[in-house]
Amino acid sequence: MKKINFKYLTIGILAFLFAITATAQNVYKLNEKNSKLSVTGTSSLHDWEMEATGFIAETGLKLADGSVSEIQYVKFSAPVAKLESGKNIMDNKAHDALKEKKFPQIKFILKEGGVSVLSGKAELTGILTVADKSKEIKLPVDFNISSDRQFKASGKVRLKMSDFGIEPPTAFFGTLKTDNEVEVKFDFEFSR
């Protein structure tokens, strides 16, 4: 029976673990204080805007030469109750339309293999869940890398409320009607 040389075995295991660590993705968490998320739309009376607070996000990605080289995952959630316009009637109508009492969170999760990275830009394909309805969306993202510890991600996407089973809110006995299409804009800062 051959003797195992533990010195070489140990060096081999350490080299293998180092190689895994060196190529591992870093986890970046959202800095909400320096991030913004808004939803805008139109109605039969005027344009409107709602801003979100209390949202959280996390991503596992790899930065190389000042750009994103790989994205492993993205997780995002926002509480419906913290989506506000500053106008109580509008906020209440929006929260009711989004079924906030029954489904309090809006969520986005990156699909496996759902990333196309082009230099400082990416297109993320993921599942957006609103009011318990899930739909695959494509989300364009621009990256601004300040260091290997921090970056910004921004973009916008147009969505239809009806795609998520949401009836656009109305007010004043139907005289004020919200358009079906909204635009979601984000400017997020991540750090590790």
Side-chain angles (χ1 to χ4, degrees):
M1 194 167 174
K2 254 185 166 177
K3 277 186 154 182
I4 297 174
N5 189 330
F6 285 103
K7 178 181 171 185
Y8 292 114
L9 180 62
T10 304
I11 291 170
I13 291 172
L14 289 175
F16 176 73
L17 291 175
F18 178 75
I20 290 173
T21 305
T23 60
Q25 311 241 345
N26 290 311
V27 175
Y28 293 83
K29 295 192 183 234
L30 182 83
N31 180 347
E32 187 198 351
K33 186 177 75 172
N34 296 333
S35 298
K36 184 177 179 183
L37 174 66
S38 65
V39 181
T40 58
T42 61
S43 72
S44 55
L45 195 58
H46 54 72
D47 292 347
W48 54 269
E49 179 176 11
M50 299 184 85
E51 288 200 19
T53 56
F55 48 90
I56 56 172
E58 181 180 295
T59 183
L61 54 77
K62 212 189 281 187
L63 299 175
D65 300 322
S67 66
V68 176
S69 62
E70 187 181 337
I71 302 173
Q72 185 180 22
Y73 71 90
V74 175
K75 294 188 277 186
F76 168 85
S77 69
V80 174
K82 299 267 187 148
L83 189 59
E84 299 171 326
S85 67
K87 298 173 182 154
N88 284 341
I89 292 173
M90 183 176 173
D91 295 349
N92 291 336
K93 293 274 183 192
H95 298 165
D96 288 347
L98 293 168
K99 304 171 188 162
E100 182 260 334
K101 297 249 187 279
K102 203 169 180 185
F103 309 109
Q105 296 288 321
I106 295 169
K107 297 180 181 179
F108 176 84
I109 296 176
L110 181 69
K111 277 183 74 173
E112 188 173 331
V115 180
S116 299
V117 177
L118 300 166
S119 186
K121 299 179 182 288
E123 184 177 77
L124 308 180
T125 302
I127 305 299
L128 180 64
T129 303
V130 182
D132 202 38
K133 298 277 186 210
S134 296
K135 180 174 171 47
E136 182 176 299
I137 66 164
K138 292 192 181 302
L139 185 64
V141 181
D142 290 319
F143 291 100
N144 182 352
I145 307 338
S146 49
S147 74
D148 67 339
R149 302 196 64 78
Q150 188 176 59
F151 69 90
K152 286 192 173 188
S154 59
K156 59 186 173 182
V157 63
R158 289 189 142 327
L159 302 169
K160 289 187 177 174
M161 290 188 243
S162 56
D163 288 345
F164 296 92
I166 298 166
E167 188 154 331
T170 61
F172 306 116
F173 306 104
T175 57
L176 177 77
K177 295 180 181 176
T178 305
D179 192 57
N180 186 31
E181 192 173 74
V182 298
E183 183 176 78
V184 178
K185 264 176 115 169
F186 62 93
D187 190 5
F188 291 165
E189 182 181 274
F190 287 88
S191 55
R192 64 178 174 101

PDB file of all heavy atoms in Angstrom, residues 40-49 87 90 161 168-172 174-182:
ATOM      1  N   THR A  40     -43.613  56.257 -12.691  1.00  0.00           N
ATOM      2  CA  THR A  40     -44.331  57.397 -13.255  1.00  0.00           C
ATOM      3  C   THR A  40     -45.364  56.915 -14.259  1.00  0.00           C
ATOM      4  O   THR A  40     -45.235  55.831 -14.835  1.00  0.00           O
ATOM      5  CB  THR A  40     -43.371  58.389 -13.949  1.00  0.00           C
ATOM      6  OG1 THR A  40     -42.652  57.691 -14.966  1.00  0.00           O
ATOM      7  CG2 THR A  40     -42.397  59.003 -12.966  1.00  0.00           C
ATOM      8  N   GLY A  41     -46.365  57.748 -14.450  1.00  0.00           N
ATOM      9  CA  GLY A  41     -47.409  57.423 -15.410  1.00  0.00           C
ATOM     10  C   GLY A  41     -48.230  58.648 -15.733  1.00  0.00           C
ATOM     11  O   GLY A  41     -47.913  59.762 -15.304  1.00  0.00           O
ATOM     12  N   THR A  42     -49.278  58.428 -16.495  1.00  0.00           N
ATOM     13  CA  THR A  42     -50.179  59.517 -16.868  1.00  0.00           C
ATOM     14  C   THR A  42     -51.599  59.142 -16.494  1.00  0.00           C
ATOM     15  O   THR A  42     -51.898  57.971 -16.223  1.00  0.00           O
ATOM     16  CB  THR A  42     -50.118  59.811 -18.383  1.00  0.00           C
ATOM     17  OG1 THR A  42     -50.529  58.638 -19.088  1.00  0.00           O
ATOM     18  CG2 THR A  42     -48.726  60.193 -18.827  1.00  0.00           C
ATOM     19  N   SER A  43     -52.443  60.130 -16.473  1.00  0.00           N
ATOM     20  CA  SER A  43     -53.865  59.907 -16.237  1.00  0.00           C
ATOM     21  C   SER A  43     -54.641  60.854 -17.141  1.00  0.00           C
ATOM     22  O   SER A  43     -54.045  61.679 -17.842  1.00  0.00           O
ATOM     23  CB  SER A  43     -54.220  60.158 -14.768  1.00  0.00           C
ATOM     24  OG  SER A  43     -54.183  61.538 -14.482  1.00  0.00           O
ATOM     25  N   SER A  44     -55.955  60.768 -17.100  1.00  0.00           N
ATOM     26  CA  SER A  44     -56.781  61.646 -17.922  1.00  0.00           C
ATOM     27  C   SER A  44     -56.699  63.094 -17.447  1.00  0.00           C
ATOM     28  O   SER A  44     -57.116  64.002 -18.156  1.00  0.00           O
ATOM     29  CB  SER A  44     -58.237  61.163 -17.909  1.00  0.00           C
ATOM     30  OG  SER A  44     -58.696  61.053 -16.571  1.00  0.00           O
ATOM     31  N   LEU A  45     -56.117  63.318 -16.274  1.00  0.00           N
ATOM     32  CA  LEU A  45     -56.028  64.670 -15.722  1.00  0.00           C
ATOM     33  C   LEU A  45     -54.597  65.223 -15.729  1.00  0.00           C
ATOM     34  O   LEU A  45     -54.365  66.358 -16.114  1.00  0.00           O
ATOM     35  CB  LEU A  45     -56.581  64.668 -14.289  1.00  0.00           C
ATOM     36  CG  LEU A  45     -56.910  66.006 -13.663  1.00  0.00           C
ATOM     37  CD1 LEU A  45     -57.920  66.768 -14.502  1.00  0.00           C
ATOM     38  CD2 LEU A  45     -57.437  65.798 -12.250  1.00  0.00           C
ATOM     39  N   HIS A  46     -53.613  64.409 -15.302  1.00  0.00           N
ATOM     40  CA  HIS A  46     -52.234  64.890 -15.199  1.00  0.00           C
ATOM     41  C   HIS A  46     -51.258  63.718 -15.102  1.00  0.00           C
ATOM     42  O   HIS A  46     -51.656  62.575 -14.870  1.00  0.00           O
ATOM     43  CB  HIS A  46     -52.061  65.799 -13.975  1.00  0.00           C
ATOM     44  CG  HIS A  46     -52.511  65.160 -12.686  1.00  0.00           C
ATOM     45  ND1 HIS A  46     -51.825  64.152 -12.068  1.00  0.00           N
ATOM     46  CD2 HIS A  46     -53.617  65.391 -11.934  1.00  0.00           C
ATOM     47  CE1 HIS A  46     -52.465  63.774 -10.966  1.00  0.00           C
ATOM     48  NE2 HIS A  46     -53.561  64.515 -10.867  1.00  0.00           N
ATOM     49  N   ASP A  47     -49.960  64.019 -15.257  1.00  0.00           N
ATOM     50  CA  ASP A  47     -48.917  63.018 -15.034  1.00  0.00           C
ATOM     51  C   ASP A  47     -48.756  62.820 -13.530  1.00  0.00           C
ATOM     52  O   ASP A  47     -49.106  63.703 -12.739  1.00  0.00           O
ATOM     53  CB  ASP A  47     -47.584  63.484 -15.622  1.00  0.00           C
ATOM     54  CG  ASP A  47     -47.608  63.543 -17.143  1.00  0.00           C
ATOM     55  OD1 ASP A  47     -48.557  63.006 -17.746  1.00  0.00           O
ATOM     56  OD2 ASP A  47     -46.680  64.137 -17.723  1.00  0.00           O
ATOM     57  N   TRP A  48     -48.233  61.683 -13.132  1.00  0.00           N
ATOM     58  CA  TRP A  48     -48.048  61.404 -11.705  1.00  0.00           C
ATOM     59  C   TRP A  48     -46.739  60.655 -11.493  1.00  0.00           C
ATOM     60  O   TRP A  48     -46.186  60.072 -12.418  1.00  0.00           O
ATOM     61  CB  TRP A  48     -49.230  60.612 -11.132  1.00  0.00           C
ATOM     62  CG  TRP A  48     -49.532  59.337 -11.889  1.00  0.00           C
ATOM     63  CD1 TRP A  48     -50.396  59.190 -12.929  1.00  0.00           C
ATOM     64  CD2 TRP A  48     -48.946  58.046 -11.660  1.00  0.00           C
ATOM     65  NE1 TRP A  48     -50.381  57.887 -13.378  1.00  0.00           N
ATOM     66  CE2 TRP A  48     -49.505  57.162 -12.610  1.00  0.00           C
ATOM     67  CE3 TRP A  48     -48.002  57.561 -10.758  1.00  0.00           C
ATOM     68  CZ2 TRP A  48     -49.155  55.819 -12.670  1.00  0.00           C
ATOM     69  CZ3 TRP A  48     -47.640  56.224 -10.821  1.00  0.00           C
ATOM     70  CH2 TRP A  48     -48.226  55.371 -11.775  1.00  0.00           C
ATOM     71  N   GLU A  49     -46.265  60.694 -10.245  1.00  0.00           N
ATOM     72  CA  GLU A  49     -45.029  59.996  -9.869  1.00  0.00           C
ATOM     73  C   GLU A  49     -45.157  59.482  -8.445  1.00  0.00           C
ATOM     74  O   GLU A  49     -45.691  60.168  -7.576  1.00  0.00           O
ATOM     75  CB  GLU A  49     -43.824  60.929  -9.959  1.00  0.00           C
ATOM     76  CG  GLU A  49     -42.518  60.257  -9.568  1.00  0.00           C
ATOM     77  CD  GLU A  49     -41.289  61.142  -9.743  1.00  0.00           C
ATOM     78  OE1 GLU A  49     -41.441  62.355  -9.968  1.00  0.00           O
ATOM     79  OE2 GLU A  49     -40.180  60.584  -9.637  1.00  0.00           O
ATOM     80  N   LYS A  87     -49.677  62.044  -1.863  1.00  0.00           N
ATOM     81  CA  LYS A  87     -51.117  62.341  -1.887  1.00  0.00           C
ATOM     82  C   LYS A  87     -51.847  61.107  -1.390  1.00  0.00           C
ATOM     83  O   LYS A  87     -51.799  60.049  -2.031  1.00  0.00           O
ATOM     84  CB  LYS A  87     -51.559  62.701  -3.303  1.00  0.00           C
ATOM     85  CG  LYS A  87     -50.859  63.943  -3.821  1.00  0.00           C
ATOM     86  CD  LYS A  87     -51.179  64.191  -5.275  1.00  0.00           C
ATOM     87  CE  LYS A  87     -50.403  65.409  -5.740  1.00  0.00           C
ATOM     88  NZ  LYS A  87     -50.125  65.434  -7.129  1.00  0.00           N
ATOM     89  N   MET A  90     -54.305  59.127  -3.787  1.00  0.00           N
ATOM     90  CA  MET A  90     -53.585  58.387  -4.827  1.00  0.00           C
ATOM     91  C   MET A  90     -52.854  57.182  -4.249  1.00  0.00           C
ATOM     92  O   MET A  90     -52.882  56.093  -4.823  1.00  0.00           O
ATOM     93  CB  MET A  90     -52.608  59.296  -5.550  1.00  0.00           C
ATOM     94  CG  MET A  90     -51.901  58.586  -6.684  1.00  0.00           C
ATOM     95  SD  MET A  90     -50.849  59.694  -7.596  1.00  0.00           S
ATOM     96  CE  MET A  90     -50.049  58.524  -8.665  1.00  0.00           C
ATOM     97  N   MET A 161     -49.765  47.608 -16.411  1.00  0.00           N
ATOM     98  CA  MET A 161     -50.410  47.092 -15.198  1.00  0.00           C
ATOM     99  C   MET A 161     -51.244  45.848 -15.496  1.00  0.00           C
ATOM    100  O   MET A 161     -51.263  44.895 -14.723  1.00  0.00           O
ATOM    101  CB  MET A 161     -51.292  48.181 -14.568  1.00  0.00           C
ATOM    102  CG  MET A 161     -50.520  49.328 -13.960  1.00  0.00           C
ATOM    103  SD  MET A 161     -51.622  50.435 -13.050  1.00  0.00           S
ATOM    104  CE  MET A 161     -51.415  51.938 -13.988  1.00  0.00           C
ATOM    105  N   PRO A 168     -55.969  49.511 -13.823  1.00  0.00           N
ATOM    106  CA  PRO A 168     -55.480  50.868 -13.555  1.00  0.00           C
ATOM    107  C   PRO A 168     -56.467  51.633 -12.661  1.00  0.00           C
ATOM    108  O   PRO A 168     -57.670  51.626 -12.920  1.00  0.00           O
ATOM    109  CB  PRO A 168     -55.376  51.497 -14.951  1.00  0.00           C
ATOM    110  CG  PRO A 168     -55.152  50.326 -15.852  1.00  0.00           C
ATOM    111  CD  PRO A 168     -55.968  49.208 -15.257  1.00  0.00           C
ATOM    112  N   PRO A 169     -55.957  52.267 -11.599  1.00  0.00           N
ATOM    113  CA  PRO A 169     -56.835  52.961 -10.652  1.00  0.00           C
ATOM    114  C   PRO A 169     -57.619  54.112 -11.291  1.00  0.00           C
ATOM    115  O   PRO A 169     -57.160  54.748 -12.233  1.00  0.00           O
ATOM    116  CB  PRO A 169     -55.866  53.515  -9.593  1.00  0.00           C
ATOM    117  CG  PRO A 169     -54.627  52.711  -9.740  1.00  0.00           C
ATOM    118  CD  PRO A 169     -54.565  52.312 -11.169  1.00  0.00           C
ATOM    119  N   THR A 170     -58.816  54.332 -10.749  1.00  0.00           N
ATOM    120  CA  THR A 170     -59.644  55.471 -11.139  1.00  0.00           C
ATOM    121  C   THR A 170     -60.042  56.229  -9.880  1.00  0.00           C
ATOM    122  O   THR A 170     -59.951  55.693  -8.775  1.00  0.00           O
ATOM    123  CB  THR A 170     -60.921  55.017 -11.882  1.00  0.00           C
ATOM    124  OG1 THR A 170     -61.682  54.192 -11.006  1.00  0.00           O
ATOM    125  CG2 THR A 170     -60.594  54.255 -13.155  1.00  0.00           C
ATOM    126  N   ALA A 171     -60.470  57.465 -10.065  1.00  0.00           N
ATOM    127  CA  ALA A 171     -60.924  58.274  -8.927  1.00  0.00           C
ATOM    128  C   ALA A 171     -62.038  59.203  -9.396  1.00  0.00           C
ATOM    129  O   ALA A 171     -62.278  59.349 -10.600  1.00  0.00           O
ATOM    130  CB  ALA A 171     -59.767  59.083  -8.350  1.00  0.00           C
ATOM    131  N   PHE A 172     -62.669  59.831  -8.442  1.00  0.00           N
ATOM    132  CA  PHE A 172     -63.748  60.780  -8.712  1.00  0.00           C
ATOM    133  C   PHE A 172     -64.808  60.167  -9.619  1.00  0.00           C
ATOM    134  O   PHE A 172     -65.148  60.709 -10.662  1.00  0.00           O
ATOM    135  CB  PHE A 172     -63.201  62.098  -9.285  1.00  0.00           C
ATOM    136  CG  PHE A 172     -62.143  62.721  -8.427  1.00  0.00           C
ATOM    137  CD1 PHE A 172     -60.850  62.864  -8.907  1.00  0.00           C
ATOM    138  CD2 PHE A 172     -62.410  63.134  -7.127  1.00  0.00           C
ATOM    139  CE1 PHE A 172     -59.848  63.422  -8.111  1.00  0.00           C
ATOM    140  CE2 PHE A 172     -61.420  63.690  -6.326  1.00  0.00           C
ATOM    141  CZ  PHE A 172     -60.149  63.836  -6.817  1.00  0.00           C
ATOM    142  N   GLY A 174     -64.758  57.671 -11.597  1.00  0.00           N
ATOM    143  CA  GLY A 174     -64.312  57.264 -12.925  1.00  0.00           C
ATOM    144  C   GLY A 174     -63.911  58.405 -13.846  1.00  0.00           C
ATOM    145  O   GLY A 174     -63.494  58.165 -14.979  1.00  0.00           O
ATOM    146  N   THR A 175     -64.036  59.652 -13.376  1.00  0.00           N
ATOM    147  CA  THR A 175     -63.651  60.778 -14.248  1.00  0.00           C
ATOM    148  C   THR A 175     -62.140  60.903 -14.365  1.00  0.00           C
ATOM    149  O   THR A 175     -61.642  61.425 -15.349  1.00  0.00           O
ATOM    150  CB  THR A 175     -64.242  62.117 -13.732  1.00  0.00           C
ATOM    151  OG1 THR A 175     -63.801  62.325 -12.392  1.00  0.00           O
ATOM    152  CG2 THR A 175     -65.755  62.100 -13.792  1.00  0.00           C
ATOM    153  N   LEU A 176     -61.396  60.421 -13.373  1.00  0.00           N
ATOM    154  CA  LEU A 176     -59.938  60.406 -13.426  1.00  0.00           C
ATOM    155  C   LEU A 176     -59.502  58.963 -13.675  1.00  0.00           C
ATOM    156  O   LEU A 176     -59.770  58.080 -12.859  1.00  0.00           O
ATOM    157  CB  LEU A 176     -59.333  60.907 -12.115  1.00  0.00           C
ATOM    158  CG  LEU A 176     -57.803  60.848 -12.050  1.00  0.00           C
ATOM    159  CD1 LEU A 176     -57.204  62.001 -12.844  1.00  0.00           C
ATOM    160  CD2 LEU A 176     -57.326  60.889 -10.637  1.00  0.00           C
ATOM    161  N   LYS A 177     -58.883  58.722 -14.814  1.00  0.00           N
ATOM    162  CA  LYS A 177     -58.458  57.366 -15.178  1.00  0.00           C
ATOM    163  C   LYS A 177     -56.949  57.336 -15.363  1.00  0.00           C
ATOM    164  O   LYS A 177     -56.388  58.166 -16.068  1.00  0.00           O
ATOM    165  CB  LYS A 177     -59.148  56.915 -16.464  1.00  0.00           C
ATOM    166  CG  LYS A 177     -60.642  56.783 -16.317  1.00  0.00           C
ATOM    167  CD  LYS A 177     -61.274  56.347 -17.608  1.00  0.00           C
ATOM    168  CE  LYS A 177     -62.784  56.269 -17.394  1.00  0.00           C
ATOM    169  NZ  LYS A 177     -63.496  55.944 -18.608  1.00  0.00           N
ATOM    170  N   THR A 178     -56.322  56.357 -14.742  1.00  0.00           N
ATOM    171  CA  THR A 178     -54.876  56.174 -14.877  1.00  0.00           C
ATOM    172  C   THR A 178     -54.593  55.351 -16.123  1.00  0.00           C
ATOM    173  O   THR A 178     -55.274  54.366 -16.400  1.00  0.00           O
ATOM    174  CB  THR A 178     -54.320  55.430 -13.640  1.00  0.00           C
ATOM    175  OG1 THR A 178     -54.707  56.139 -12.476  1.00  0.00           O
ATOM    176  CG2 THR A 178     -52.829  55.338 -13.685  1.00  0.00           C
ATOM    177  N   ASP A 179     -53.564  55.742 -16.882  1.00  0.00           N
ATOM    178  CA  ASP A 179     -53.169  54.993 -18.063  1.00  0.00           C
ATOM    179  C   ASP A 179     -52.606  53.639 -17.643  1.00  0.00           C
ATOM    180  O   ASP A 179     -52.022  53.500 -16.561  1.00  0.00           O
ATOM    181  CB  ASP A 179     -52.123  55.793 -18.848  1.00  0.00           C
ATOM    182  CG  ASP A 179     -51.875  55.205 -20.229  1.00  0.00           C
ATOM    183  OD1 ASP A 179     -52.849  55.079 -20.993  1.00  0.00           O
ATOM    184  OD2 ASP A 179     -50.717  54.865 -20.524  1.00  0.00           O
ATOM    185  N   ASN A 180     -52.748  52.648 -18.501  1.00  0.00           N
ATOM    186  CA  ASN A 180     -52.314  51.281 -18.206  1.00  0.00           C
ATOM    187  C   ASN A 180     -50.790  51.145 -18.126  1.00  0.00           C
ATOM    188  O   ASN A 180     -50.265  50.327 -17.389  1.00  0.00           O
ATOM    189  CB  ASN A 180     -52.870  50.336 -19.276  1.00  0.00           C
ATOM    190  CG  ASN A 180     -52.607  48.878 -18.977  1.00  0.00           C
ATOM    191  OD1 ASN A 180     -52.546  48.458 -17.832  1.00  0.00           O
ATOM    192  ND2 ASN A 180     -52.447  48.094 -20.015  1.00  0.00           N
ATOM    193  N   GLU A 181     -50.055  51.967 -18.879  1.00  0.00           N
ATOM    194  CA  GLU A 181     -48.596  51.831 -18.942  1.00  0.00           C
ATOM    195  C   GLU A 181     -47.907  52.742 -17.925  1.00  0.00           C
ATOM    196  O   GLU A 181     -48.292  53.890 -17.751  1.00  0.00           O
ATOM    197  CB  GLU A 181     -48.094  52.163 -20.344  1.00  0.00           C
ATOM    198  CG  GLU A 181     -46.647  51.770 -20.557  1.00  0.00           C
ATOM    199  CD  GLU A 181     -46.205  51.938 -21.998  1.00  0.00           C
ATOM    200  OE1 GLU A 181     -46.018  53.086 -22.430  1.00  0.00           O
ATOM    201  OE2 GLU A 181     -46.065  50.907 -22.681  1.00  0.00           O
ATOM    202  N   VAL A 182     -46.896  52.192 -17.256  1.00  0.00           N
ATOM    203  CA  VAL A 182     -46.093  52.958 -16.300  1.00  0.00           C
ATOM    204  C   VAL A 182     -44.621  52.791 -16.664  1.00  0.00           C
ATOM    205  O   VAL A 182     -44.250  51.857 -17.379  1.00  0.00           O
ATOM    206  CB  VAL A 182     -46.323  52.507 -14.833  1.00  0.00           C
ATOM    207  CG1 VAL A 182     -47.764  52.730 -14.421  1.00  0.00           C
ATOM    208  CG2 VAL A 182     -45.898  51.077 -14.610  1.00  0.00           C
TER     209      VAL A 182
END
